[in-house]
Every structure is written in structure tokens, then in C-alpha cells.
């Protein structure tokens, strides 16, 4: 789930409309929106002809992917994004790049922008061959945006790899949007060692855990709809559950299921904190910009906690999450992404890949400006949108003139000064979309609403471009129960 305020979506930063605007410094630095000159773009095209790596978007293989894997492979964690949650090309390329990184011995763990429970089912399937991967992908707690051929095919490939691999790849989910099911998993271990505490905590969680047994029920829906006293008791219970595991005895920690249950308790606590101010009766004035970065901070911290010594991870998420630096105005008020936290913790041991495109269609749900995003998220349609990213001021407009159909460019090769360096500092829209799209305000600068494009050099180490994108191969939604 991606919320409107303080997000980077559609290639823009939506910060200035935050309810905490009045708390922010009056002298925040505004972004430089000076467009690139014709001379700068001409120099960029000459540089791309010499430095970029073109490839056939319909027939790329190891000859295309191996050099990119080698470029990224020295990092301990690699964030691999996608320009939209609903386009085929970037998700398919991402899956193939992951395979190449696994084959070349540069990755051990696939870290998903996904909740704990479905990722656990994926892990058991690829490592042990247990369970039905199609059933696991249809779980309510797994986001519908990735219930598609692109991700499903990667799961099958990883299972086949692990059948004979001496060092098996594993999967972890680091998101925190499934607090009820996570609390239930943690309480199952508490029940074994401290039945009285388990009974007390289960009572404090109220109807949350029972609600999660109902098909298609999401944690955040329960949180915003529950009566205030019940929601407050559950919030307090999440802290108590987390504290129980923190204080666990050596005997409890020796339980084979302790690690998984400990993770579930921590994730349940994070869910309440990440969505603390989503209720209509919440004090929105306390939702400062750092609040809107909580989910990303939690995901980054979870990713690092899940890596054992010597393991190397790949983060599967949106471009917005994996980007490793932010505009000064956003950074100053405390907002973070998964990538900025990982860069802070790992330095050069973190690398990221972003995507862009020029034309075509992607899947998303239309949400009008000012609409209730939470309610819209309950009825995601993911119909195809045919929107441009090749108008002047959009990055696809530059790449279209290279004469290629697809390419990747290494931003580390940019010159330090001169017209190409100037071009890389100019703002361009990227064609980014999460699960939301609104054609009426697609890539339109609005400083009052904090919508503005980002410099080319910002966000990622490598940018992959496709001239044409098409909708992801989404699986049909299962029939809704009566």
C-alpha cells in the first residue's frame, strides 16, 4: 500500500502537502527545476551512444545480463526496482537479472517488499518443494500487483535452481502490513511457554486475530474500522507482545520456532506503528514526514536483520523504495526510503537499479485527486493505462532519440563536469507509477502539492530503459466468497 503524502510516485516527490507542513522549517530549499538545454541533451545523447549498453528487449540473455550483474555484484545488497507496479518489461527484466545474479554467485537471499507469511510460503516452496506456489501467490497478504506470470515464473526457476544447488537461495518478506496474522503466529509460540500471557494478550488484541481468518481481509482495514478503544488496546498489546519476546528466557529462545515467532511479533508491532495515524480520529498533526517513512525504515531494518553473516541480498520493490538518495527538501525533514537507509548503513555495499520507459501501457487503479486512497486500495482494478513518458521534460524523450529499443546506463560513468554532468543534474519525470494512476495530473509539476521531477543522477546506480512497455501478465483474481 502506498499512501499519498510524502511519497515519491510517478517520478515526483509529494511532500509539501503533508499535514505536518506547519511544523516544517520555512526556509526549506526548493528543487531546481531548470530544464536541460538543447546543448546539454545533445551532449547526453553523444555520451549515451558511447557509454550506454543497448540490448534487444525481445531477446536478451546472459550476454546482456552478465555485464550488468558484474557491475552490481560487488555490493552486499542490491535494490532492483520497477518503474510501475503493472508493466511487464521491467518486472521480466528484473526477474532475469535476479537469475543471473544467482547463477554468478552474487546473491543468496531474495528480499521481497512483501509480508512475512506469503514470503515464508514462497521460501518453503523454493527450498523444500513444499506447498503450492500458485496457492501461496493468491494469499490475501501477498500484494495483487505481483500476482503475475513475471513473479510466478521466477518462483519456479528458483525452485529448480535449489533442487541441485549446493547453496540454496532463500526468500524473506520484510513488509509490515499483516499485523493480525503476524500477531497470531507469535502468540502460538507464547502459548507453548506462557499460556497465561498468551490468553491475556489474545484478549487484548480483541477481534483482530479472528478477523484475519476471513477471506480477503487486510490488517489496515481492521485498524481503521475498529472501535477506538479496541484499536488502542490492540496497539498496546502489540508492544507487550514485542516486549515478551525481548525478555524471553534462554529456554524459550531454544525453541526451534523462536526466530520465526520473534520476527512475527516485531512485524506485528511495526504494522501498528506504520499505520498509526490512518484512522479518521487520529491526531494527524502528529503525522510528521518521518512518520510517512516508517514503513520504508522498517523494511530496510528488517532486510538487514534477515541477512546472516556472509549472505548477499536482492531487494524486490518499486523504484521509489530502492532509491538511495533524495532531494534535499525531503531529506531534511526526515523522510527515508528503503534504499536511503541501506545506503546509510552499508555505504558502497548497497547498489540500486531503477527503470524508465517512453511509451506503452501499464496496469494501475485510477484514483482521483483528493479521493480516499485507503478505500480505493480495497477495490484495486489494475486496468491498463496508456500514458506518455516521452514528452519534453520526460526521460523517455531523451532516450527515444538514441535510436535504440532498450538500454542500461551506469551512472558511475558520468563525467564529473561539463554539459553531460549538467544534463544529469537536470530534472526529468521517470514514468513512475505505483498501484495508483490519475491521467489528469500525470507528470504535471505542482509545487503547492509537492509534485516535481527528479534529477537524472538521483536515486540509482544504474537505469534501465525500455522504449515500449506493456501491461504485466496479471493473474485473474480468485472468485470472492459469498
Amino acid at each position: 500500500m502506498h499512501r499519498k503524502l510524502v511519497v515519491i510516485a510517478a517520478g515526483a516527490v509529494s511532500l509539501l502537502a503533508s499535514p505536518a507542513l506547519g511544523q516544517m522549517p520555512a526556509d526549506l530549499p526548493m528543487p531546481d527545476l531548470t530544464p536541460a538545454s538543447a546543448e546539454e541533451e545533445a551532449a547526453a545523447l553523444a555520451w549515451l551512444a558511447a557509454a550506454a549498453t543497448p540490448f534487444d528487449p525481445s531477446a536478451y540473455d546472459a550476454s546482456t545480463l552478465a555485464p550488468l550483474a558484474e557491475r552490481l555484484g560487488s555490493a552486499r545488497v542490491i535494490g532492483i526496482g520497477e518503474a510501475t507496479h503493472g508493466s511487464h518489461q521491467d518486472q521480466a527484466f528484473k526477474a532475469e537479472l535476479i537469475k543471473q545474479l544467482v547463477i554468478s554467485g552474487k546473491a543468496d537471499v531474495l528480499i521481497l517488499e512483501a509480508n512475512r507469511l506469503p514470503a515464508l510460503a514462497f521460501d518453503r516452496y523454493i527450498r523444500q518443494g513444499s506447498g503450492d506456489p500458485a496457492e501461496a501467490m493468491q494469499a490475501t497478504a501477498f500484494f495483487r500487483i505481483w500476482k503475475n506470470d513475471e513473479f510466478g515464473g521466477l518462483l519456479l526457476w528458483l525452485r529448480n535452481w535449489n533442487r541441485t544447488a549446493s547453496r540454496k537461495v532463500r526468500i524473506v518478506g520484510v513488509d509490515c502490513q499483516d499485523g493480525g496474522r503476524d500477531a497470531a503466529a507469535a502468540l502460538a509460540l507464547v502459548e507453548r511457554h506462557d499460556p497465561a500471557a498468551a490468553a491475556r494478550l489474545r484478549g487484548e488484541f480483541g477481534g483482530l486475530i479472528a478477523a484475519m481468518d476471513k477471506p480477503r481481509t487486510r490488517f489496515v482495514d481492521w485498524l481503521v474500522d475498529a472501535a477506538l478503544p479496541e484499536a488502542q488496546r490492540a496497539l498496546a498489546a502489540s508492544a507487550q507482545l514485542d516486549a515478551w519476546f525481548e525478555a524471553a528466557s534462554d529456554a524459550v529462545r531454544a525453541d526451534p520456532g523462536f526466530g520465526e515467532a520473534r520476527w512475527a511479533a516485531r512485524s506485528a508491532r511495526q504494522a501498528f506503528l506504520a499505520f498509526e495515524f490512518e484512522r479518521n480520529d487520529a491526531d494527524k498533526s502528529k503525522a510528521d514526514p518521518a512518520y510517512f517513512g516508517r514503513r520504508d525504515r522498517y523494511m530496510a531494518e528488517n532486510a538487514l536483520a534477515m541477512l546472516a553473516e556472509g549472505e548477499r541480498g536482492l531487494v524486490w520493490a518499486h523504484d521509489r523504495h530502492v532509491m538511495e538518495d533524495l532531494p534535499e527538501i525531503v531529506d531534511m525533514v526526515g523522510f527515508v526510503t528503503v534504499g536511503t537507509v541501506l545506503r546509510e548503513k552499508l555505504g558502497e555495499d548497497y547498489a540500486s537499479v531503477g527503470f524508465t520507459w517512453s511509451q506503452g501501457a501499464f496496469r494501475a487503479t485510477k484514483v482521483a485527486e483528493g479521493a480516499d486512497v485507503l478505500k480505493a486500495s480495497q477495490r484495486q482494478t489494475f486496468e491498463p493505462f496508456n500514458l506518455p513518458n516521452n514528452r519534453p521534460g520526460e526521460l523517455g524523450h531523451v532516450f527515444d532519440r538514441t535510436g535504440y529499443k532498450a538500454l542500461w546506463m551506469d551512472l558511475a560513468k558520468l563525467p564529473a563536469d561539463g554539459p553531460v554532468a549538467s544534463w544529469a543534474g537536470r530534472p526529468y519525470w521517470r514514468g513512475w507509477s505505483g498501484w495508483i494512476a490519475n491521467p489528469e495530473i500525470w507528470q504535471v509539476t505542482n509545487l503547492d502539492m509537492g509534485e516535481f521531477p527528479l534529477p537524472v543522477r538521483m536515486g540509482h546506480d544504474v537505469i534501465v530503459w525500455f522504449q515500449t512497455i506493456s501491461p504485466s501478465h496479471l493473474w485473474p483474481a480468485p472468485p470472492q466468497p459469498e
Side-chain angles (χ1 to χ4, degrees):
M1 173 184 174
H2 301 284
R3 290 162 291 172
K4 176 187 172 186
L5 301 173
V6 195
V7 296
I8 300 171
V13 179
S14 298
L15 169 64
L16 304 183
S18 167
L21 179 60
Q23 305 170 22
M24 296 192 291
D27 58 348
L28 285 175
M30 289 296 103
D32 181 0
L33 299 181
T34 306
S37 66
E39 292 75 17
E40 288 169 339
E41 288 196 345
L45 287 169
W47 177 79
L48 287 166
T53 302
F55 62 92
D56 183 343
S58 64
Y60 55 87
D61 54 18
S63 64
T64 294
L65 295 166
L68 179 53
E70 187 64 29
R71 158 66 179 89
L72 299 165
S74 61
R76 188 184 181 204
V77 178
I78 303 168
I80 310 178
E82 55 195 31
T84 89
H85 278 324
S87 43
H88 164 72
Q89 282 71 18
D90 40 4
Q91 292 188 37
F93 188 92
K94 171 158 61 174
E96 294 302 317
L97 177 57
I98 288 169
K99 295 174 188 178
Q100 185 63 41
L101 288 162
V102 169
I103 290 170
S104 57
K106 301 181 187 301
D108 308 289
V109 185
L110 179 57
I111 302 167
L112 299 178
E113 181 196 340
N115 292 313
R116 181 195 63 86
L117 192 58
L120 181 61
F122 299 152
D123 184 61
R124 288 171 175 163
Y125 170 69
I126 68 166
R127 287 206 289 166
Q128 304 166 12
S130 61
D132 180 346
E135 182 178 348
M137 283 182 61
Q138 292 291 8
T140 299
F142 186 55
F143 305 134
R144 187 166 177 241
I145 51 174
W146 293 313
K147 295 177 180 180
N148 56 36
D149 288 352
E150 294 82 9
F151 183 77
L154 177 61
L155 277 184
L156 294 174
W157 187 92
L158 289 171
R159 171 59 194 148
N160 184 64
W161 172 267
N162 279 348
R163 287 175 62 247
T164 57
S166 58
R167 187 170 181 175
K168 290 180 170 54
V169 176
R170 61 191 186 92
I171 290 178
V172 298
V174 294
D175 211 340
C176 56
Q177 300 191 50
D178 199 25
R181 295 178 183 87
D182 288 336
L187 284 171
L189 184 133
V190 179
E191 179 71 36
R192 293 202 294 270
H193 298 275
D194 191 347
R200 177 178 57 80
L201 288 169
R202 194 175 294 276
E204 292 298 305
F205 276 113
L208 170 62
I209 293 174
M212 295 300 103
D213 290 334
K214 299 176 182 178
R216 324 308 298 171
T217 301
R218 305 180 310 168
F219 165 78
V220 70
D221 296 330
W222 180 90
L223 182 65
V224 300
D225 291 337
L228 179 59
E230 185 178 24
Q232 290 175 331
R233 286 195 303 271
L235 171 63
S238 72
Q240 295 164 26
L241 179 62
D242 194 36
W244 187 94
F245 278 87
E246 194 68 22
S249 66
D250 290 343
V252 172
R253 293 174 185 273
D255 187 310
F258 179 83
E260 184 68 34
R262 177 73 189 90
W263 176 19
R266 178 59 53 84
S267 184
R269 176 63 175 156
Q270 291 172 348
F272 278 93
L273 296 177
F275 298 99
E276 182 177 1
F277 298 110
E278 302 310 302
R279 293 178 57 92
N280 289 332
D281 53 15
D283 184 354
K284 306 291 187 182
S285 68
K286 295 181 179 179
D288 61 7
Y291 162 71
F292 292 98
R294 280 185 190 176
R295 176 175 165 243
D296 274 64
R297 182 173 293 281
Y298 293 150
M299 287 197 290
E301 291 172 350
N302 292 344
L304 292 174
M306 294 302 150
L307 287 179
E309 185 175 354
E311 283 189 323
R312 303 168 77 178
L314 306 173
V315 179
W316 174 297
H318 189 273
D319 275 12
R320 198 279 299 184
H321 289 298
V322 303
M323 66 184 301
E324 60 199 44
D325 56 347
L326 293 167
E328 187 178 8
I329 182 176
V330 181
D331 187 54
M332 285 180 64
V333 297
F335 182 69
V336 299
T337 67
V338 173
T340 60
V341 175
L342 291 176
R343 171 65 80 165
E344 176 189 350
K345 302 291 186 182
L346 298 175
E348 294 301 316
D349 263 346
Y350 177 71
S352 65
V353 180
F355 290 78
T356 191
W357 49 278
S358 292
Q359 62 188 6
F362 59 89
R363 296 188 186 278
T365 297
K366 184 175 181 178
V367 178
E369 185 72 7
D372 188 326
V373 176
L374 181 59
K375 289 189 180 299
S377 71
Q378 296 172 324
R379 53 182 186 276
Q380 296 173 7
T381 56
F382 293 118
E383 67 267 26
F385 282 76
N386 196 319
L387 294 170
N389 190 41
N390 57 358
R391 300 170 297 187
E394 297 173 334
L395 199 50
H397 179 69
V398 177
F399 290 142
D400 257 354
R401 288 176 281 161
T402 61
Y404 302 134
K405 299 294 185 183
L407 61 81
W408 63 268
M409 67 173 184
D410 182 356
L411 296 178
K413 294 182 177 180
L414 284 167
D417 50 32
V420 177
S422 297
W423 167 78
R426 300 302 186 194
Y428 285 88
W429 299 95
R430 308 285 181 93
W432 285 356
S433 172
W435 64 271
I436 290 173
N438 183 352
E440 296 176 6
I441 56 171
W442 173 250
Q443 305 202 143
V444 175
T445 297
N446 184 336
L447 286 177
D448 289 338
M449 292 299 295
E451 301 281 351
F452 54 87
L454 301 175
V456 175
R457 67 161 63 94
M458 179 166 287
H460 305 99
D461 296 290
V462 169
I463 293 179
V464 181
W465 166 74
F466 290 95
Q467 184 178 56
T468 305
I469 60 169
S470 57
S472 58
H473 302 166
L474 193 68
W475 290 5
Q480 295 289 330
E482 293 295 334

